[in-house]
Amino acid sequence: MSPPAVRHPGEHRWEVRLLVVIAAILTVFGVVNLYGAMGVRQAGFMTVVKQLVIALAGAVVMLALARVDYRRLRPLAWPALLATLFLLLIPALPESLTGGVAPVRNGARRWIDLGPIDLQPSELAKFVVVLWCAMLAAKKGTAIRGFRKGVAPFLVVVGLICLLIMRQPNLSMAALVAMLAATVLFTAGARIGHGLLLVMAAGLIGAQLIFLSDYRRARWETFVGRGTTDGAMQINESVVAIGSGGVFGVGLGQGKAKLAHVPYAYSDFLFSSIGEEWGLVGVVVVVVLFGLLGWVGYRIARTAPDPFGQFLAAGLTTAVVLTAVLHMAVTLKLMPTTGLTLPFMSAGGSSLLINLAAVGVLASVGRMRGRPGAR
């Protein structure tokens, strides 16, 4: 007979329950909004059905991971990293070799098409980078404060992953992965001075990549008010759509912006569709839900039973919340267009499945607090 669990001062079962409930509400609300945003499009109904099926599968994954001791993931960090690198390498290879598996969509090769399975490796990379960085940071301990033995190994591996993601091309996702790695590093105690140097270097590299690329430069010019492209129309119409929703919105499926003005209202600009059809009330509800998820996630990280759990919970919480913040900022024209989806809600099976898995691991960290031998 196993010994009873020891009550830990920071253990509150309601946090885990609230976390799962928030994820469920966002997912269900996302499917409903996806129906409203895709209803007028050809094959829109099938897209909603596919999203619903993936949501159910993701719920199973989330609950399964919540029941498993998160420390069992630690030995899987290296194999998961190598598998992710392999998947990221496929779209980076010449199209003549892998074009059938990694086709070009909207001018980019970001997906692996395996018939019924359509995988976006960069979404998996967010989860795996957090897992791997948490494992290595916990192993290094105080050595993380040094550069050569602490920060440098992370730079090499995460830098390689970011290069493969930029090759797709997907600069915004590469930047997000780098920020998640930085979150884990500084949660583990890396020096602020090292961080400032890396931020300056990343800023210079990012500026070069933006202004040496026509479409990235066009997005920047749109953001600062000099754009005249279709992208400028889309982001301007996104702001108009949110404003036209008023307090209570025009009603589910009644939005007009999705008809032509905002072509990606079901993915990259889903938040604008929510603002138009649900109004200020819907926008506030979504913001509050993501805020609550972040608050609970960081509470779990603060009271995690070991450094690995602490770093893992902090990184996964940041992955969900930061992606949501960036998506909302783009739709409100507070930053240039990035192409990041709204977690749990935008169309995209890879994103939905990975985010639900992240919540499952967070719940596992929360459940393990106070267990015998957990600290």
Side-chain angles (χ1 to χ4, degrees):
M1 184 176 179
S2 60
V6 179
R7 183 93 180 158
H8 185 272
E11 182 187 10
H12 299 286
R13 295 294 181 186
W14 63 267
E15 294 174 349
V16 176
R17 296 191 185 100
L18 179 59
L19 185 72
V20 173
V21 168
I22 292 171
I25 293 173
L26 286 170
T27 302
V28 173
F29 193 36
V31 173
V32 171
N33 279 284
L34 187 60
Y35 174 77
M38 292 289 294
V40 297
R41 295 179 178 276
Q42 187 177 11
F45 178 74
M46 291 307 300
T47 300
V48 176
V49 171
K50 181 180 178 181
Q51 188 83 350
L52 181 59
V53 170
I54 294 173
L56 294 174
V60 173
V61 171
M62 177 180 67
L63 294 176
L65 287 173
R67 302 287 298 177
V68 174
D69 187 345
Y70 68 91
R71 291 170 296 182
R72 293 186 180 182
L73 298 176
R74 190 167 178 170
L76 301 178
W78 273 110
L81 180 73
L82 295 176
T84 302
L85 283 169
F86 173 75
L87 291 174
L88 288 171
L89 185 62
I90 294 175
L93 294 173
E95 189 177 352
S96 58
L97 296 176
T98 60
V101 179
V104 177
R105 298 180 186 174
N106 298 323
R109 300 178 66 205
R110 301 175 183 175
W111 295 268
I112 296 177
D113 189 355
L114 299 175
I117 300 175
D118 199 12
L119 175 66
Q120 189 173 0
S122 58
E123 288 288 348
L124 177 62
K126 292 193 300 183
F127 181 94
V128 172
V129 162
V130 169
L131 173 63
W132 180 83
C133 287
M135 176 276 299
L136 193 59
K139 181 180 179 180
K140 287 184 175 294
T142 56
I144 200 74
R145 293 181 62 80
F147 186 82
R148 186 170 64 87
K149 294 184 178 181
V151 177
F154 294 91
L155 286 179
V156 173
V157 174
V158 177
L160 176 60
I161 290 176
C162 291
L163 284 173
L164 290 174
I165 295 175
M166 285 190 291
R167 179 73 175 79
Q168 294 177 355
N170 196 346
L171 178 60
S172 56
M173 183 64 80
L176 178 58
V177 168
M179 286 188 280
L180 296 179
T183 298
V184 175
L185 282 176
F186 293 109
T187 302
R191 292 181 181 274
I192 299 297
H194 293 159
L196 293 175
L197 289 175
L198 293 176
V199 168
M200 291 174 61
L204 292 173
I205 294 172
Q208 289 278 348
L209 292 172
I210 289 173
F211 290 104
L212 291 177
S213 169
D214 291 339
Y215 83 92
R216 292 189 188 120
R217 187 172 60 251
R219 287 181 175 182
W220 174 259
E221 291 175 350
T222 296
F223 173 65
V224 298
R226 297 201 305 267
T228 57
T229 62
D230 291 340
M233 181 197 73
Q234 178 166 318
I235 197 168
N236 290 332
E237 290 293 337
S238 170
V239 177
V240 171
I242 293 174
S244 65
V247 177
F248 298 105
V250 298
L252 179 64
Q254 302 303 311
K256 305 300 182 185
K258 65 192 175 189
L259 298 176
H261 305 302
V262 185
Y264 296 103
Y266 55 89
S267 58
D268 298 356
F269 286 85
L270 181 66
F271 192 67
S272 65
S273 179
I274 293 172
E276 183 182 18
E277 297 188 354
W278 295 86
L280 180 63
V281 173
V283 166
V284 170
V285 167
V286 172
V287 171
V288 168
L289 286 172
F290 278 110
L292 279 174
L293 190 147
W295 176 65
V296 174
Y298 289 126
R299 278 180 62 94
I300 290 174
R302 184 173 57 85
T303 56
D306 64 348
F308 173 64
Q310 181 182 10
F311 307 153
L312 185 61
L316 292 178
T317 302
T318 304
V320 175
V321 175
L322 182 58
T323 305
V325 169
L326 294 177
H327 175 96
M328 296 176 193
V330 167
T331 60
L332 293 168
K333 202 178 179 181
L334 298 177
M335 63 178 291
T337 305
T338 61
L340 295 174
T341 57
L342 188 60
F344 306 106
M345 304 184 77
S346 292
S350 299
S351 174
L352 178 57
L353 196 60
I354 293 300
N355 283 306
L356 288 173
V359 170
V361 175
L362 274 172
S364 175
V365 177
R367 287 182 63 252
M368 289 305 298
R369 292 172 298 175
R371 297 297 179 102
R375 295 189 70 82

